[in-house]
Amino acid sequence: LEGGAPLDPTNPDEGMAFTAVAVALLYMDDLDTSEALLNDALTTARERGLVIAFATASYLRAWPQYFRGRLQDSIADSEQALDAGRYGWKMFAGAASAVLAHAQVERGDLDAAQRAVDAAPEESLAPESGEWTILLEARARIRRGRRDLEGALEDFLTCGELLQKAGFATRPTLWRAQAAVICAQLGDGDRAGDLIAAERELAERIDASRTTGMVL
């Protein structure tokens, strides 16, 4: 990226690097660079008529759109990616269903969020799947919205256990912070405090301002 030439998601040698860079920028809360990278990728894929690359870039852009609060744009990007399933796109279909569900939760449409989770491909529902943890978070938020606080907390904590087993300290969606809110609602202030303290330490370690703000 420093050389000025954008990564090309349509180039087999750069495709995996492109995805890794886009995800890393998301974890760093560098949403400006993330969006610029993905906008360039979408333009390149559209000009070349490459449906699979276009779908992947659309899915990836749904996340920075979501974190900026551009919910309709995030929904449009994730639905655009999922629509490419008829052309064989499936690598991130579970995660695209998850970001769609998260955005619908923010809109207050819990039924639409549940439909997105239910439509996720079966292979993304396995505990060993990295996508399952994002879907599990979405399900937890739906449960919280429906006042099933115990069920929501169980999902968030299971998500955390699976992530830690896989070697992920955190996610940009902050499972600890969301679980802490529920613990506080259930009257368990000590556990809420421990979860938030751990989330804050991780946020400050990577100097992620959006994440730190959410924790505070």
Side-chain angles (χ1 to χ4, degrees), residues 31-84:
L31 303 183
D32 289 336
T33 305
S34 176
E35 273 197 277
L37 172 74
L38 294 164
N39 287 339
D40 286 343
L42 285 164
T43 298
T44 300
R46 184 185 293 111
E47 288 173 349
R48 299 182 186 178
L50 298 171
V51 176
I52 302 301
F54 189 83
T56 298
S58 294
Y59 153 66
L60 290 168
R61 192 176 67 172
W63 282 111
Q65 299 274 37
Y66 168 70
F67 287 130
R68 287 188 188 280
R70 299 174 186 161
L71 301 180
Q72 287 302 143
D73 292 334
S74 178
I75 289 168
D77 276 344
S78 53
E79 288 181 338
Q80 189 166 252
L82 289 167
D83 186 57

Side-chain angles (χ1 to χ4, degrees), residues 93-147:
S97 297
V99 66
L100 174 58
H102 281 288
Q104 294 289 18
V105 168
E106 291 290 348
R107 289 184 65 248
D109 193 339
L110 300 181
D111 290 340
Q114 187 64 60
R115 287 195 296 272
V117 171
D118 292 342
E122 186 175 350
E123 57 268 23
S124 66
L125 305 180
E128 63 271 14
S129 165
E131 293 180 312
W132 173 231
T133 56
I134 316 175
L135 286 161
L136 197 56
E137 278 188 286
R139 190 177 78 176
R141 298 185 68 205
I142 294 166
R143 286 182 164 181
R144 184 176 68 193
R146 291 176 171 160
R147 308 304 300 169

Side-chain angles (χ1 to χ4, degrees), residues 6-34:
L7 286 171
D8 182 359
T10 67
N11 181 327
D13 293 331
E14 296 183 19
M16 291 304 293
F18 167 83
T19 301
V21 168
V23 172
L25 290 169
L26 192 67
Y27 271 73
M28 293 164 57
D29 282 340
D30 190 347
L31 303 183
D32 289 336
T33 305
S34 176

